[in-house]
Amino acid sequence: MCDVAVVKKIANCLGVAPGKVQLNDEQVVTRTIGQNKTVQGFATILESLARESKSEAAQNSTSTKEVKAQVYQWLEFAVLYVAPGSKDKYVSKQLLADFNKLFISKSYLVGNFITLADLAVYYAIYDLMKSLSPVDKENYLNLSRWFDHLQQRPEVHQGEPLLNFTTIYLHGWATGTHI
Amino acid sequence: MATGTLYTYPENFRAYKALIAAQYSGAKVKVADNFKFGETNKSAEFLKKFPSGKVPAFETADGKYLSESNAIAYYVANEQLRGGKCPFVQAQVQQWVSFADNEIVPASCAWVFPLLGILPQQKNSTAKQDALVVLELLNKKLLDVTYLAGERISLADIVVFSSLLHLYEYVLEPSVRSAFGNLNRWFVTILNQPQVQAVVKDFKICEKALVFDPKKYAEFQAKTGGKQQQQPKQKEEKKPKEKKEAKKDEPAEELDAADEALALEPKSKDPFDAMPKGTFNFDDFKRVYSNEAEEKSIPYFFEKFDPENYSIWFGEYKYNDELQKVFMSCNLITGMFQRLDKMRKQAFASVCLFGEDNNSTISGVWVWRGQDLAFTLSPDWQVDYEVYDWKKLDPKSEETKKLVTQYFSWAGADKNGRKFNQGKIFK
Ligand SMILES: N[C@@H](CCC(=O)N[C@@H](CS)C(=O)NCC(=O)O)C(=O)O
C-alpha cells in the first residue's frame, strides 16, 4: 500500500475528510484541504488528521506528551522503514520477527491502547501479512494476534475481506514455535 | 443511566467489577460511607434490602436492590461492556464471568487465603497446582486474542481481571508468572486502562510471594473469635454426600470447604493414649479448681501432681508488640483453646492477659500429660504453638510454685509490671 493510500485509509479510520492527498515532485506525500492549506510529510499529515478527529485512536494518541512522542516515532518508522522494508525478502523477515517479539509483552505499540502508531504500522505491513502462508503465520502468533485484533474493527478493515488467522488455532498441536 | 449506592468494604475485588464498569459507562456509583463489614451488612435494615447479608450490594437511586457482584456490574455497565450487539459476544462475556466465579475465584482463594491468614494451611494442598492449571488455560487463550470477548474491553476482561487480582498481588512472583507471558500481557494492558487505574489504585504486581505465617492465622482467629472453628461439629452431623456436593466459590463457602476437609479426615485417636497414665487426675483437679477457692485448689494441685508422667510449662506469646485491643487478645486465647479442644482431657491451663489496650502481653501456665511439648502430637494443635515461646518448668522449684500460684489465681503482673487484666482457663 503506498503512502497516499495509507493516509486515505487512516483518515477514513479516524472519521476525517482526507482532502487532496498526493505525492509532490520529491515523492513526499502532501495533504491539501481547502484552497491553499497544505501539510507535507507522512507523520505531520497523520498528526493533523488526529487533531481533527474525535475517534478513540486519535484521542489516545495525544493523551500525554510521552505517548505523543512515541507515536511520532512509530509513524516515522512505519513510513521510512516498514513500508519499504516489507518489500524486501530479508528485511521483511526481520521485521516480522521483531514485531512478533514486541507483541509478546504488549497489546499495542504505544501505551496500553490503540493509537495512530498501530494504524500506521498496520497499513504499512498489510501487504506483507497478506502474503504470508498459514504456516508462515504460525511463526508470528503474537504479531498475528495484534493484526487480527485491529483488522476486526470495522473502521480498520473498511470493507476489505479479513485475512485468515484461523489457522492459528492449529498451534495446539504444531510444535511450540510461537514465542 | 444507572445511579445508586454500592455497599462494600474497601478494596473488595468483587466491588471493583462494578466500580470499573461504572468508569466506562459513566454510571454514578457512590460507595456507601461508614460501611462496617460484619456490622452494616448484618443490620436488620440491610438484611431487609439484601437478605443474603453479603457485599457488594447495590441500591439504585430509585430504591431497587441488587446483590451479586456480577449482576451489579452488568447493571451499571454499558453496551460495549455487555458484549456489544452480537449475541455470540454477549454469550462469551457470560462464559468468562462464569469461568471467573467457578474456576478462578475458588482456586485463588484456596491458594492465597491461607497465606493471608484467613484460612488454615492444609497439608498436601493442591491449591497452587489447581490455580496454575486455570492460569495456563487463560494464557493459551490470550495468545490469540487481545481481549477475552470480541475486540473491545468487556465485562469478561473486567471480571476475570478482578478475580485474578489476589493472585497477581500475593503469589505470582516473577519466576512463577514468567510461564504465563500472554496472560501477563493482557493483565498489564487491563490494569493500565485509565478506567481501571481510577479504581484499582497503586496496585503492585507481586515481587515476592507470600509464605504461610502461623502468626497471621492466629491473629485472624483472634479477630473473628475463632468462629469457623466451631463449624466442623455441625458439619459432621450432615450426610457425607452433601458435603461433597458443597460448592466452594466464595470466601465464606471456602471456609466451609476447609472445615469439611477437616471433618472428612478420619478421626485420629487420642494422641495422649500412647503415654503412660500417671496418678494425676485432671477431672478431679478441675472440679476442685472450679468449686473451691484458690487457697484450697492450688495446694491440692501440688499435692496430687505426678511429675513422672505430667509436666508444667510456661508459654509466652511472641508478638506482644502487636497486640491491640484487649478483647481481640482475649479472642486470640479463646481461639487457641478451641483449636486445642482435643487436648482438654489431658491438659489444663490458665492463660492471662496483662496490661491494657495497645500495651499488653499474653502468657500462661500449662499442665499436660507427658514430658514433651504436647502440640507436636497432633497436626490440629500446631497452629498456635509456634506463636508462643515455651519453657518447661521444674515442678519442684519455688519459682514454679510462685508462677503456678500467680497464674492459677489470676493475680500479679507480667515481668515488666503490667497488671493482670483478664484470664482464661483451659479445662
Ligand atoms: N457471589 C457473591 C459473593 C459475595 C460475598 O461472598 N461477599 C462476602 C465478602 S467478599 C460477604 O459479604 N460475606 C458476608 C457473609 O457471608 O456474611 C458476589 O459475587 O457478590
Side-chain angles (χ1 to χ4, degrees):
Chain A
M1 220 177 288
C2 68
D3 294 355
V4 171
V6 172
V7 168
K8 286 183 180 163
K9 285 265 184 205
I10 293 181
N12 243 331
C13 207
L14 301 180
V16 174
K20 195 165 171 48
V21 183
Q22 58 195 1
L23 292 183
N24 67 11
D25 298 343
E26 284 119 46
Q27 301 299 301
V28 175
V29 62
T30 62
R31 173 184 184 224
T32 310
I33 22 170
Q35 281 302 315
N36 43 16
K37 241 185 97 198
T38 299
V39 232
Q40 179 178 327
F42 186 77
T44 317
I45 293 174
L46 291 199
E47 285 193 326
S48 76
L49 292 173
R51 273 196 301 274
E52 293 160 34
S53 167
K54 289 216 156 44
S55 77
E56 186 192 354
Q59 307 229 311
N60 289 343
S61 303
T62 53
S63 55
T64 69
K65 267 195 201 141
E66 290 83 54
V67 167
K68 244 172 145 168
Q70 287 180 45
V71 167
Y72 194 84
Q73 284 177 17
W74 280 114
L75 299 183
E76 298 267 83
F77 186 77
V79 70
L80 296 176
Y81 200 75
V82 180
S86 66
K87 295 186 189 94
D88 178 284
K89 199 169 139 201
Y90 299 99
V91 179
S92 64
K93 262 214 141 109
Q94 191 59 44
L95 275 172
L96 291 169
D98 287 350
F99 276 118
N100 190 57
K101 195 155 166 237
L102 201 144
F103 287 121
I104 289 175
S105 58
K106 291 187 68 65
S107 297
Y108 300 98
L109 285 171
V110 176
N112 293 283
F113 31 66
I114 185 169
T115 63
L116 281 180
D118 297 296
L119 299 176
V121 171
Y122 173 90
Y123 291 114
I125 211 171
Y126 180 88
D127 290 332
L128 176 58
M129 291 302 282
K130 199 171 170 180
S131 73
L132 294 181
S133 72
V135 178
D136 288 338
K137 284 180 205 154
E138 278 292 308
N139 293 321
Y140 310 112
L141 290 172
N142 295 293
L143 172 59
S144 298
R145 177 194 67 241
W146 168 83
F147 191 92
D148 192 32
H149 169 56
L150 292 181
Q151 76 163 354
Q152 303 227 23
R153 293 176 169 240
E155 74 273 22
V156 174
H157 69 64
Q158 297 178 12
E160 297 284 328
L162 300 185
L163 302 190
N164 188 355
F165 287 94
T166 51
T167 51
I168 59 183
Y169 300 117
L170 294 177
H171 66 78
W173 55 265
T175 40
T177 45
H178 41 281
I179 298 193
Chain B
M1 198 185 299
T3 306
T5 305
L6 187 70
Y7 295 90
T8 180
Y9 53 89
E11 292 175 28
N12 178 354
F13 77 89
R14 290 189 169 92
Y16 282 171
K17 303 175 195 175
L19 293 172
I20 295 171
Q23 288 287 328
Y24 279 92
S25 69
K28 292 194 186 59
V29 175
K30 184 178 166 297
V31 175
D33 300 322
N34 307 324
F35 178 85
K36 277 214 181 69
F37 185 63
E39 223 172 278
T40 314
N41 58 318
K42 299 294 157 191
S43 68
E45 189 196 352
F46 187 94
L47 291 171
K48 219 158 84 194
K49 302 173 183 171
F50 309 102
S52 77
K54 292 192 181 186
V55 291
F58 188 70
E59 177 171 356
T60 68
D62 56 353
K64 288 182 293 208
Y65 308 111
L66 261 186
S67 57
E68 287 297 323
S69 56
N70 298 328
I72 301 167
Y74 182 92
Y75 180 66
V76 303
N78 58 18
E79 185 182 85
Q80 177 196 320
L81 294 186
R82 293 176 188 142
K85 290 197 166 38
C86 168
F88 187 75
V89 179
Q90 293 167 4
Q92 282 182 313
V93 170
Q94 294 309 312
Q95 173 194 312
W96 289 110
V97 167
S98 296
F99 180 84
D101 269 10
N102 298 323
E103 309 291 332
I104 304 174
V105 173
S108 166
C109 293
W111 186 2
V112 176
F113 283 6
L115 305 177
L116 288 175
I118 51 187
L119 263 190
Q121 179 82 311
Q122 276 179 270
K123 275 205 185 155
N124 309 321
S125 156
T126 58
K128 180 173 173 178
Q129 287 85 321
D130 296 347
L132 296 181
V133 170
V134 175
L135 296 178
E136 179 49 25
L137 209 141
L138 284 165
N139 188 53
K140 275 226 175 76
K141 166 78 185 171
L142 288 162
L143 171 62
D144 300 336
V145 296
T146 299
Y147 301 122
L148 288 171
E151 303 303 329
R152 305 275 173 157
I153 287 183
S154 70
L155 283 174
D157 301 294
I158 294 171
V159 169
V160 170
F161 167 84
S162 301
S163 306
L164 287 170
L165 280 169
H166 283 157
L167 290 171
Y168 269 96
E169 180 169 7
Y170 297 117
V171 289
L172 293 182
E173 58 189 0
S175 65
V176 181
R177 70 173 179 268
S178 64
F180 309 112
N182 308 313
L183 180 60
N184 296 337
R185 180 210 89 236
W186 168 87
F187 186 86
V188 170
T189 301
I190 306 297
L191 175 63
N192 284 295
Q193 298 303 309
Q195 295 87 341
V196 176
Q197 287 286 303
V199 173
V200 187
K201 301 201 174 90
D202 303 319
F203 185 84
K204 293 227 166 46
I205 296 186
C206 180
E207 275 305 316
K208 183 104 198 48
L210 281 185
V211 287
F212 182 67
D213 177 355
K215 182 182 124 202
K216 268 196 202 147
Y217 180 58
E219 280 169 2
F220 176 74
Q221 293 292 309
K223 283 191 203 133
T224 58
K227 198 169 60 187
Q228 58 271 48
Q229 272 331 97
Q230 292 159 358
Q231 287 175 5
K233 281 202 198 106
Q234 305 160 6
K235 292 269 154 169
E236 277 163 50
E237 286 153 21
K238 286 196 204 158
K239 301 224 167 62
K241 205 168 147 248
E242 288 173 8
K243 286 179 198 159
K244 288 210 192 92
E245 280 167 5
K247 276 206 210 136
K248 22 175 189 170
D249 49 0
E250 46 202 287
E253 295 186 4
E254 269 300 305
L255 295 173
D256 294 355
D259 286 336
E260 275 159 30
L262 277 177
L264 285 172
E265 256 174 34
K267 278 281 147 282
S268 57
K269 287 203 295 184
D270 185 347
F272 283 110
D273 284 353
M275 285 174 201
K277 207 171 164 176
T279 59
F280 182 66
N281 185 318
F282 269 111
D283 284 342
D284 289 350
F285 165 68
K286 287 173 187 172
R287 208 169 305 120
V288 173
Y289 183 83
S290 308
N291 299 327
E292 309 280 350
E294 281 96 42
E295 293 84 66
K296 256 191 140 165
S297 61
I298 294 172
Y300 177 94
F301 173 78
F302 283 109
E303 185 192 324
K304 300 282 179 184
F305 185 72
D306 165 11
E308 278 292 296
N309 299 301
Y310 295 79
S311 56
I312 309 177
W313 294 75
F314 187 61
E316 276 182 292
Y317 190 62
K318 282 188 197 165
Y319 307 103
N320 286 320
D321 289 350
E322 285 159 41
L323 293 175
Q324 292 169 1
K325 296 271 176 237
V326 163
F327 79 89
M328 278 167 61
S329 311
C330 286
N331 277 338
L332 196 65
I333 303 171
T334 332
M336 174 178 190
F337 286 180
Q338 275 164 2
R339 285 183 289 279
L340 297 177
D341 194 41
K342 277 193 273 167
M343 252 177 86
R344 267 176 222 276
K345 274 206 184 127
Q346 303 297 341
F348 175 87
S350 174
V351 178
C352 300
L353 178 85
F354 299 92
E356 68 253 11
D357 282 356
N358 301 316
N359 177 23
S360 60
T361 65
I362 295 175
S363 49
V365 168
W366 292 73
V367 183
W368 58 66
R369 185 157 145 195
Q371 294 298 335
D372 298 315
L373 263 185
F375 307 108
T376 51
L377 290 173
S378 161
D380 295 357
W381 299 346
Q382 288 164 22
V383 176
D384 300 85
Y385 98 98
E386 291 174 38
V387 300
Y388 283 82
D389 280 321
W390 295 98
K391 197 167 89 197
K392 194 172 175 181
L393 302 179
D394 172 5
K396 287 187 209 71
S397 82
E398 268 313 303
E399 216 178 306
T400 303
K401 282 223 164 84
K402 262 202 236 145
L403 262 182
V404 168
T405 307
Q406 182 203 338
Y407 277 81
F408 282 18
S409 54
W410 287 3
D414 70 5
K415 58 189 177 204
N416 298 317
R418 290 182 195 83
K419 283 219 195 75
F420 171 84
N421 181 316
Q422 288 193 40
K424 301 249 176 234
I425 297 295
F426 182 70
K427 62 179 179 53

